[in-house]
Amino acid sequence: HRGAHIAAILSGFGLAQDGLLDALDPSGAGLIRAIEKALAMSAISSEDIDVIVSPGMGPRNFILAEAAALTAVFGIAIPMRVTAVAASGMAPSALFPLHILLAAEILRRQEAPPLPNTIRARPLSRARHILVLHCSASGEYGAVVVSAKECCS
């Protein structure tokens, strides 16, 4: 009613805590639970995810947890991954909302940002669902499914 353009829909989210208050569990169990909750709320499966937006950096245990979780959820068919670390620096509190906005823009443009040290965007073919991941140093995980607005009409 106010004339805003809807770029995408947040179709599902999941939060989990792995029980470690001062470290991250490298098994990825907490992140797996967050991803599964987000997929269930969105009523889609892992095969429907076209792109994953994740920090892709951080403490060693987070990198191990992310790799373990993605392998557990997607097997060997892990979708394209992108990150906005170069744009936001190392400000963890800013990454999650920035990554959600990045996911909406990827869906709108149907292209992923260039890889580091390149200038060309990577075209996509009808991307419909993007999984955005987040974790905190205290073992809290978040996963959000951002969907093209046409998917949820």
Side-chain angles (χ1 to χ4, degrees), residues 6-13 38 41-42 96-97 99-101 103-104 107 129-130 132 143-149 152:
I6 297 173
I9 305 293
L10 301 182
S11 59
F13 73 93
M41 182 181 278
S42 298
F96 200 36
H99 282 165
I100 292 170
L101 292 172
L107 288 170
H129 304 285
I130 298 180
V132 182
V144 172
V145 175
V146 180
S147 300
K149 62 183 178 182
C152 303

Side-chain angles (χ1 to χ4, degrees), residues 16-18 20-25 31 55 59 61-62 65 92-93 96 133-142:
Q17 215 278 343
D18 64 16
L20 303 174
L21 297 178
D22 60 353
L24 298 169
D25 178 4
L31 188 54
N61 279 357
F62 176 67
S93 63
F96 200 36
L133 304 177
H134 178 70
C135 98
S136 73
S138 60
E140 297 161 339
Y141 299 94

